[in-house]
Amino acid sequence: MFETLQAQPADKILELIQMYRSDPREGKIDLGVGVYKDATGLTPVMRAIKDAEHQLWETQDTKVYTGLAGDPAFGDAMIDLVLGDAVPRGSIAAVATPGGTGAVRQAFEMIRMARPEARVFVSNPTWPNHLSILKYLGMEMVPYRYFDEATCGVDFDGLIADLKTAQKGDVVLLHGCCHNPTGANLNAAQWDEVIAVLQQTGATPMIDIAYQGFGEGLVEDAAATRKVVASVPECLVAASCSKNFGIYRERTGLLMAISADQSATALNQGALAYLNRQNFSFPPDHGARLVTMILNDEALRADWQDELEEVRLSMLGLRTQLAAELQRLSGSDRFGFLAQHRGMFSRLGTTPEMVAKLRTEHGVYMVGDSRMNIAGLNAETVPVLAKAIIDCGI
Ligand code: LMR
């Protein structure tokens, strides 16, 4: 029977990992998949995670099933981290999921279950896997303008005009912070306008927040999400712990469904638990438990926040250095946006041909839409990248 299967398109981001690994050149630079790397190129286990793992090894005496929603303590700790006290706890249904991708997938499934004909508005561009999962689920998607190729900032007028065409029963997918793949983000006043449009149209927002703490800071990065959930009758929020806790392979995420009408919470909770049961039953627990321990222990939490801030500042430093180096080499400010962007990524704003040239001639690996993982750089490779960009005539 399997001979009827058709070859699936390779994931553009994951494909790059393989290409990079099989390139024998010394001095190649990996700016592909969104994984944090320190100055030595390592993706370290964060200190607080190691400490929590030691404690867990000493104290954990069972690995019996948790619940379909995962350990409620994880939900509570993450709700506090992401939403703070933006809305009453009684208005939030939440389930642990396998990573942020699992949360996104379950969110789409919940939308489809509630309203199969819902259209999902997605930023153009967005994380390619958003599109891939929506397509797989057979859901209708509508791109909204987001990136201004000329300025490498947000095309805000285009975004607002497109979001105004959404209707009640549609969903607007927003990136809570650190837009992936562009690095271009809305400011507070722009978020307020987006909220006003959501209120006018009645469309339901869904927020993907996968990089909290990588942009302006832990609380600052959650500000827009908190404001949105407090301003609309219903919202979905998919949160990831992969990046800010550095536990990529542990698959740790949380999906929240918020309803201003608290009588809907039990129904939402039941739907989310049902979807978990159908797709994988109980969510993974190891990463979620470590996150819970860290968030609920003063010393572990302080150490985690310190290390996360070191990570954030190191990426900011690399951005500033790269923008300055490009200004020096090009004699122009046209790369100044790199210092303005936030999060792990920046879209350089060049053609797929130039991206291929950077790879073949200079061993620089970035995604075909010219998304660069800034954390893939270090102080020594920034000048090498800057020179390669200028040499290619970008
Ligand atoms: C990325 O965008 O590179 C990350 O979110 C990793 C992934 O799964 O694509």
Side-chain angles (χ1 to χ4, degrees):
M1 69 181 290
F2 298 138
E3 68 279 2
T4 61
L5 291 176
Q6 294 181 354
Q8 298 300 322
D11 183 287
K12 294 275 179 293
I13 297 173
L14 304 186
E15 199 181 23
L16 264 188
I17 300 180
Q18 216 33 61
M19 286 168 82
Y20 176 80
R21 282 186 187 152
S22 41
D23 184 339
R25 283 176 289 182
E26 293 264 332
K28 59 188 175 174
I29 300 176
D30 178 15
L31 308 179
V33 69
V35 165
Y36 173 75
K37 292 187 194 145
D38 65 15
T40 68
L42 257 181
T43 302
V45 179
M46 292 179 89
R47 297 184 299 257
I49 289 287
K50 269 276 181 221
D51 288 348
E53 276 182 326
H54 274 130
Q55 286 183 24
L56 189 61
W57 187 81
E58 297 279 356
T59 55
Q60 190 172 50
D61 50 15
T62 181
K63 287 198 185 280
V64 75
Y65 292 125
T66 53
L68 286 178
D71 180 356
F74 171 65
D76 288 343
M78 280 296 289
I79 286 169
D80 183 55
L81 182 72
V82 180
L83 301 184
D85 55 8
V87 287
R89 179 66 181 88
S91 63
I92 310 167
V95 285
T97 53
T101 308
V104 166
R105 167 69 186 261
Q106 299 297 77
F108 290 158
E109 292 221 26
M110 180 153 169
I111 294 162
R112 191 177 62 162
M113 193 160 78
R115 200 177 160 88
E117 69 281 13
R119 302 180 300 168
V120 180
F121 282 60
V122 287
S123 65
N124 182 15
T126 191
W127 183 48
N129 211 23
H130 285 149
L131 307 178
S132 179
I133 297 173
L134 283 168
K135 183 167 173 230
Y136 177 69
L137 292 174
M139 296 173 71
E140 186 177 348
M141 45 194 144
V142 181
Y144 62 86
R145 278 171 279 174
Y146 187 84
F147 190 65
D148 182 339
E149 300 283 345
T151 62
C152 290
V154 176
D155 172 6
F156 190 64
D157 292 343
L159 174 146
I160 290 292
D162 290 350
L163 290 192
K164 280 185 175 163
T165 68
Q167 295 168 0
K168 191 166 169 52
D170 290 333
V171 172
V172 174
L173 176 55
L174 298 155
H175 297 223
C177 63
C178 307
H179 186 264
N180 177 9
T182 67
N185 295 290
L186 302 177
N187 61 34
Q190 291 172 327
W191 273 106
D192 285 344
E193 279 194 58
V194 168
I195 289 170
V197 172
L198 290 168
Q199 289 169 332
Q200 282 155 24
T201 59
T204 301
M206 167 179 162
I207 300 179
D208 185 355
I209 179 160
Y211 296 89
Q212 188 183 351
F214 274 33
E216 304 287 357
L218 260 185
V219 174
E220 294 83 346
D221 290 350
T225 303
R226 292 177 185 186
K227 204 156 191 190
V228 173
V229 298
S231 311
V232 294
E234 278 182 344
C235 186
L236 289 167
V237 179
S240 171
C241 301
S242 298
K243 278 80 178 185
N244 52 8
F245 287 88
I247 48 172
Y248 306 86
R249 64 174 65 166
E250 301 297 353
R251 309 314 298 139
T252 308
L254 189 81
L255 174 59
M256 291 159 264
I258 301 104
S259 253
D261 172 7
Q262 292 194 29
S263 65
T265 305
L267 191 65
N268 291 345
Q269 188 66 47
L272 291 175
Y274 171 82
L275 283 172
N276 271 9
R277 182 64 167 161
Q278 304 322 303
N279 283 330
F280 44 78
S281 202
F282 299 88
D285 179 70
H286 185 70
R289 196 153 296 276
L290 300 174
V291 167
T292 311
M293 290 169 74
I294 290 170
L295 292 178
N296 289 334
D297 178 288
E298 213 177 302
L300 286 177
R301 185 174 179 132
D303 189 37
W304 168 66
Q305 288 189 192
D306 284 351
E307 191 169 357
L308 180 58
E309 188 62 3
E310 288 161 26
V311 163
R312 186 180 79 82
L313 293 177
S314 83
M315 289 187 294
L316 266 185
L318 291 165
R319 287 186 175 284
T320 317
Q321 190 194 350
L322 181 59
E325 188 65 12
L326 282 164
Q327 189 200 38
R328 194 180 68 78
L329 293 179
S330 71
S332 87
D333 286 333
R334 68 179 197 276
F335 295 102
F337 65 86
L338 291 167
Q340 308 305 320
H341 285 173
R342 285 293 178 273
M344 201 172 231
F345 306 114
S346 267
R347 182 187 258 210
L348 186 57
T350 189
T351 59
E353 291 72 34
M354 284 299 175
V355 170
K357 192 168 172 181
L358 280 166
R359 189 171 63 243
T360 49
E361 293 182 11
H362 299 273
V364 173
Y365 285 75
M366 60 179 75
V367 185
D369 63 357
S370 75
R371 184 192 83 169
M372 305 185 285
N373 172 12
I374 296 294
L377 292 165
N378 60 45
E380 280 74 50
T381 54
V382 164
V384 180
L385 171 66
K387 185 169 179 309
I389 289 172
I390 299 301
D391 283 356
C392 282
I394 294 167

